[in-house]
Amino acid sequence: MNEQLLNVVVRKRDIQGVDVVVLDLESADGAPLPRFDAGAHVDIHVAPGLVRQYSLCSDPNDVRCYRLGVLKDPASRGGSQAVHEALLEGREVQISAPRNLFPLAADAQRSVLLGGGIGITPMIAMAYVLHQQGAAFELHYCGRSRSRSAFLAELAQAPFASRVFTHFDDEGLEQRLDLAKVFGHAAPGTHMYTCGPSGFMDWVIEGARQQGYAEDHIHKEYFQVEVDSSGAGFEVVAARSNKTVHVAEGQSILDALAGVGIKIEISCEQGVCGTCLCEVLEGEPDHRDVYLTEDEKAANDQILVCCSRAKSNKLVLDI
Ligand code: FES
């Protein structure tokens, strides 16, 4: 990747809830940071070869600081552990400019934000913006318990605190998230946004569908996906490079292409961010990402090569 990176310094670090580190990053030279849109994330270059994406959760209008929250996940591929161990106060680190794959809809008349666990982070930035716009919205924060959850103090003091509703698994039934109530009577023009563990998101999205939400009013950002790379081998033809490569069982298309010198830009390597999108000229992809919509997947004319495979024996890509 040859994008311009930003040098930032960890100005403040705070452990909140259980295993969540909240980091305030400031520009290393004291200059204002680029403005970002609510829902954006940055790539953090945690260590050589270790790049991870984290949503920004500060007020997008505050260009002095980017805030993000990182849950230490023992099941992760090492990124969150490294962030917890290495990003101490005063440490300089490189990040990408903010990128937004999870924007607020410009025409929403009402917004329902639902964050599960650490998935609350992009919702906080969205809430700041919606509040500043004077928009109608509510923010639902679900977690296993109050004591495990980060950002509660900030949300309690936020200018939009009256629109924040918390729901914890170990508290009374009366405070549990009632999807029929939250999504019921959805006025046309209501958009919903969700981020969190995939089980939580699937449940919330299904709840919205059952209440008649149109697909383009359902906005989602997965932050952790298990990549399933099982399946038989197949052939990939890189049409513009005039190269053919065999993708072995358990190997990604990305790795097979790298083996013949074809480099594809990547970021998450989990089918989440869309960076590695390639056009399909022939053949049928076996989509395993969570980035493309169902309609886009059905069209079979694009593929995310970090995680998806082929149903046909051969795929021809426009690369
Ligand atoms: S690199 Fe993120 S979807 Fe492939």
Side-chain angles (χ1 to χ4, degrees):
M1 290 170 70
N2 40 18
E3 67 174 326
Q4 184 112 32
L5 297 175
L6 306 170
N7 293 311
V8 295
V9 62
V10 179
R11 195 58 74 199
K12 192 168 160 221
R13 168 192 164 98
D14 187 21
I15 299 291
Q16 297 187 14
V18 172
D19 283 344
V20 176
V21 66
V22 179
L23 301 173
D24 283 2
L25 307 177
E26 289 180 6
S27 173
D29 63 4
L33 291 161
R35 248 194 61 80
F36 67 94
D37 291 324
H41 70 270
V42 290
D43 295 344
I44 299 196
H45 293 246
V46 188
L50 189 60
V51 182
R52 290 292 181 269
Q53 293 75 40
Y54 296 104
S55 296
L56 298 173
C57 61
S58 39
D59 178 351
N61 281 317
D62 183 355
V63 291
R64 294 164 304 175
C65 158
Y66 290 160
R67 177 170 298 151
L68 44 89
V70 179
L71 171 68
K72 183 155 61 173
D73 178 4
S76 83
R77 295 168 299 147
S80 65
Q81 300 251 23
V83 167
H84 274 251
E85 284 161 19
L87 296 193
L88 306 175
E89 274 178 20
R91 164 82 195 267
E92 266 194 50
V93 65
Q94 288 193 309
I95 62 172
S96 68
R99 283 197 293 170
N100 199 357
L101 303 170
F102 190 40
L104 286 165
D107 60 348
Q109 284 158 27
R110 179 171 162 263
S111 302
V112 182
L113 315 176
L114 302 109
I118 197 64
I120 191 66
T121 49
M123 306 299 163
I124 299 174
M126 288 177 167
Y128 276 113
V129 168
L130 291 167
H131 172 75
Q132 288 153 10
Q133 292 173 344
F137 78 97
E138 57 198 68
L139 168 58
H140 294 271
Y141 183 11
C142 301
R144 283 164 60 187
S145 70
R146 196 173 290 276
S147 61
R148 297 184 70 89
S149 303
F151 299 107
L152 289 173
E154 178 177 346
L155 290 170
Q157 288 160 14
F160 50 82
S162 63
R163 294 166 186 265
V164 177
F165 303 91
T166 54
H167 311 275
F168 298 109
D169 294 349
D170 62 354
E171 295 188 14
L173 284 178
E174 73 292 342
Q175 53 86 57
R176 296 281 172 87
L177 180 61
D178 181 344
L179 292 181
K181 202 162 136 203
V182 168
F183 292 135
H185 319 295
T190 302
H191 286 242
M192 69 77 86
Y193 302 81
T194 186
C195 180
S198 52
F200 166 80
M201 291 177 62
D202 292 345
W203 173 63
V204 162
I205 290 166
E206 192 47 39
R209 286 183 180 138
Q210 280 176 10
Q211 297 297 328
Y213 276 57
E215 289 300 315
D216 61 357
H217 285 43
I218 296 175
H219 308 269
K220 52 190 187 286
E221 181 164 80
Y222 289 89
F223 58 75
Q224 185 189 42
V225 175
E226 209 153 298
V227 177
D228 171 13
S229 53
S230 63
F234 53 95
E235 207 164 74
V236 167
V237 178
R240 276 189 279 128
S241 313
N242 200 20
K243 286 184 177 169
T244 299
V245 65
H246 179 73
V247 181
E249 187 176 346
Q251 185 184 31
S252 69
I253 299 177
L254 184 76
D255 285 345
L257 290 171
V260 294
I262 300 175
K263 291 250 185 305
I264 306 287
E265 190 177 343
I266 52 164
S267 185
C268 72
E269 295 182 70
Q270 290 181 290
V272 171
C273 71
T275 307
C276 65
L277 192 71
C278 294
E279 202 177 317
V280 177
L281 301 174
E282 256 182 71
E284 187 182 358
D286 180 356
H287 297 288
R288 299 191 179 183
D289 63 276
V290 291
Y291 176 79
L292 295 173
T293 64
E294 291 309 312
D295 287 348
E296 287 169 337
K297 285 178 181 171
N300 279 337
D301 56 0
Q302 36 190 355
I303 186 170
L304 291 157
V305 293
C306 67
C307 61
S308 294
R309 304 183 64 78
K311 287 182 179 163
S312 49
N313 293 331
K314 184 168 88 172
L315 278 182
V316 182
L317 304 182
D318 188 21
I319 50 177

